[in-house]
Amino acid sequence: MSANNPILNPKPKSHRAEDFTHSEVQLANRNSGIALEALRHDITPIGMHYLLSHFDIPYVENESDWKLEIRGLVENPINLDMQTLKSLPQVTKQVTLECAGNGRALHKPHWPSMPWTYEAVGTAEWRGTRLIDILYNAKATSEAVEWVFSGADSGVDSGVQHVFERSLSIEMANNPDIMLAWEINGQALPPQHGYPLRLVVPGWYGMASVKWLNKIEAIDHTFEGQQQVGTYVYKKDNNDKGIPVTTIRVKSLMVPPGIPDWYSRKRLLKSGSVTLHGRAWSGLGTPISKVEIGINNHWHEAQVFPAKEKYAWSRWEFEWQAITGYHELGCRATDANGDIQPIDPPWDKSGFGNNCVQKIEVWVEDDISIKE
Ligand SMILES: Nc1nc2c(c(=O)[nH]1)N[C@H]1C(S)=C(S)[C@@H](COP(=O)(O)O)O[C@H]1N2
Ligand SMILES: [Mo]
């Protein structure tokens, strides 16, 4: 056993008063990420899918009380109850959803908010009805330029009190893949995923998929709500006018091999042949064309399996001959548009869209036996 292996010969821990703030830890406890080993599942089991809720999760006792109101600049204002919604033609779609703030805590210095490292992603099978069918019946008037989608939750962010609301242009909302969903993985939405009804906008970062959806309004101007312009804008600094955060950037993750050190999550492995595997995805259902595996910064091409559905992640695999010692592993995806993950986090003031290469530190030993 190598004496310098810090997993088996750890330095004693001591109390500390730095790094993450109390508020960040509080947010991290409310908004859970996927355990990276759950990347093994094609469909992330309910309860392992990541969660992000800005305010309080609304208490909805029974969906029979729920109403979806469609109003504003429409020819036919509509009130829909869940029973009527469920009687409409249904669609089921596998969608990989990722939070725009995923990777925020990897920045140095990092923006104080939900401190995601790699885990704000999951793939679910959503069931519902097509948004476009409902919007078609309501029929936006010629003055309408955007639809605003409202959730039942509200709170304060940066001093601004507001309901969680996001907009899509009339043109964007015509995408037939956007759903009003009431089921996840064959079950009613649990409260934390938006019971009884949510929007699912495949290929976009998660903020567009408004949970607890109770209102859709057509307006004649660009929406300037807090969740649209006060946040979810890429900015280098406070003077930057910025670019709205929209579709998901190409990304990949590896299931950490071997066994973890409980505290550091660094990995312990036995030498020999190891199958490295994981997932890769990109925005708007753009296929993954390549995944490369970095072993101490030497890159090798992995085998990529096509995604099960357009908006679901792809699986990849690579056979590695692990030799004794310390190694830094990584994975880097390229999509069909030729977009490739950067090695280092692309800078953004609020930590949005960080699709940098995941780093996993592993220690390989000859003379251990490991039961995975
Ligand atoms: N009403 C409402 N919808 C919301 C949010 C929210 O706080 N309120 N969070 C958004 C964000 S930022 C993300 S990443 C996704 C997360 O969806 P999930 O919790 O079901 O994984 O929901 C989006 N929809
Ligand atoms: Mo998010």
Side-chain angles (χ1 to χ4, degrees), residues 26-75:
Q26 204 166 248
L27 283 180
N29 287 329
R30 287 187 58 86
N31 297 287
S32 50
I34 196 174
L36 293 178
E37 60 274 27
L39 293 166
R40 289 167 186 264
H41 300 266
D42 283 340
I43 300 294
T44 311
I46 300 176
M48 293 187 111
H49 194 283
Y50 89 94
L51 286 170
L52 193 293
S53 304
H54 288 77
F55 306 130
D56 291 352
I57 296 167
Y59 176 71
V60 182
E61 201 174 352
N62 196 316
E63 66 175 34
S64 60
D65 304 329
W66 199 258
K67 284 273 178 318
L68 173 65
E69 205 189 338
I70 300 157
R71 65 173 206 202
L73 298 171
V74 294
E75 285 178 15

Side-chain angles (χ1 to χ4, degrees), residues 49-54 153 164 193 198 206 209 211-212 232:
H49 194 283
Y50 89 94
L51 286 170
L52 193 293
S53 304
H54 288 77
D153 52 330
F164 188 95
H193 280 301
R198 76 175 299 168
S209 295
K211 303 193 274 192
W212 312 292
Y232 297 114

Side-chain angles (χ1 to χ4, degrees), residues 102-372:
N102 201 13
R104 171 182 291 126
L106 301 171
H107 281 283
K108 288 190 173 87
H110 71 272
W111 183 249
S113 180
M114 174 62 203
W116 298 117
T117 58
Y118 299 108
E119 56 288 308
V121 66
T123 298
E125 191 161 68
W126 304 97
R127 185 173 184 78
T129 194
R130 284 197 176 90
L131 172 68
I132 191 177
D133 294 345
I134 285 162
L135 298 184
Y136 180 83
N137 284 331
K139 209 164 196 303
T141 65
S142 56
E143 300 93 72
V145 295
E146 289 194 356
W147 293 104
V148 182
F149 302 85
S150 309
D153 52 330
S154 71
V156 181
D157 184 13
S158 311
V160 182
Q161 189 184 340
H162 62 283
V163 167
F164 188 95
E165 290 176 317
R166 293 274 315 176
S167 76
L168 292 172
S169 70
I170 300 274
E171 193 194 347
M172 259 305 307
N174 281 341
N175 180 335
D177 293 327
I178 302 176
M179 300 170 69
L180 296 176
W182 55 78
E183 262 183 40
I184 176 172
N185 300 359
Q187 294 179 37
L189 296 178
Q192 64 274 22
H193 280 301
Y195 180 81
L197 188 69
R198 76 175 299 168
L199 193 63
V200 175
V201 185
W204 281 52
Y205 279 121
M207 72 282 150
S209 295
V210 177
K211 303 193 274 192
W212 312 292
L213 182 73
N214 60 12
K215 192 177 78 184
I216 306 178
E217 186 171 356
I219 60 170
D220 63 1
H221 53 276
T222 49
F223 179 61
E224 302 221 316
Q226 178 67 14
Q227 299 293 332
Q228 196 81 24
V229 298
T231 178
Y232 297 114
V233 179
Y234 291 118
K235 286 184 181 174
K236 296 282 171 235
D237 53 44
N238 283 333
N239 300 323
D240 191 349
K241 252 192 80 228
I243 302 166
V245 175
T246 57
T247 58
I248 297 174
R249 291 176 171 170
V250 62
K251 192 149 170 182
S252 62
L253 288 175
M254 185 185 300
V255 174
I259 57 169
D261 173 49
W262 141 250
Y263 176 65
S264 68
R265 308 314 291 185
K266 291 179 184 176
R267 314 296 299 186
L268 191 60
L269 251 76
K270 185 168 171 54
S271 57
S273 185
V274 182
T275 307
L276 301 176
H277 63 114
R279 303 284 173 177
W281 62 94
S282 189
L284 289 180
T286 309
I288 295 301
S289 49
K290 185 157 80 175
V291 174
E292 294 158 289
I293 306 310
I295 312 284
N296 305 316
N297 262 320
H298 291 94
W299 296 87
H300 312 269
E301 203 165 328
Q303 187 182 3
V304 182
F305 303 93
K308 292 260 160 78
E309 288 191 19
K310 179 173 178 189
Y311 295 103
W313 53 25
S314 288
R315 200 183 118 81
W316 58 261
E317 215 176 87
F318 178 74
E319 230 25 60
W320 177 42
Q321 295 305 319
I323 53 167
T324 308
Y326 168 79
H327 306 282
E328 201 179 271
L329 310 184
C331 51
R332 176 168 74 179
T334 305
D335 70 15
N337 296 331
D339 287 335
I340 182 166
Q341 290 182 250
I343 302 285
D344 298 317
W347 175 249
D348 176 73
K349 174 185 136 332
S350 312
F352 290 131
N354 181 4
N355 63 338
C356 74
V357 165
Q358 174 193 17
K359 289 195 180 83
I360 300 179
E361 295 183 65
V362 304
W363 289 84
V364 181
E365 298 283 353
D366 277 326
D367 51 350
I368 49 168
S369 97
I370 285 180
K371 215 166 176 260
E372 278 182 54

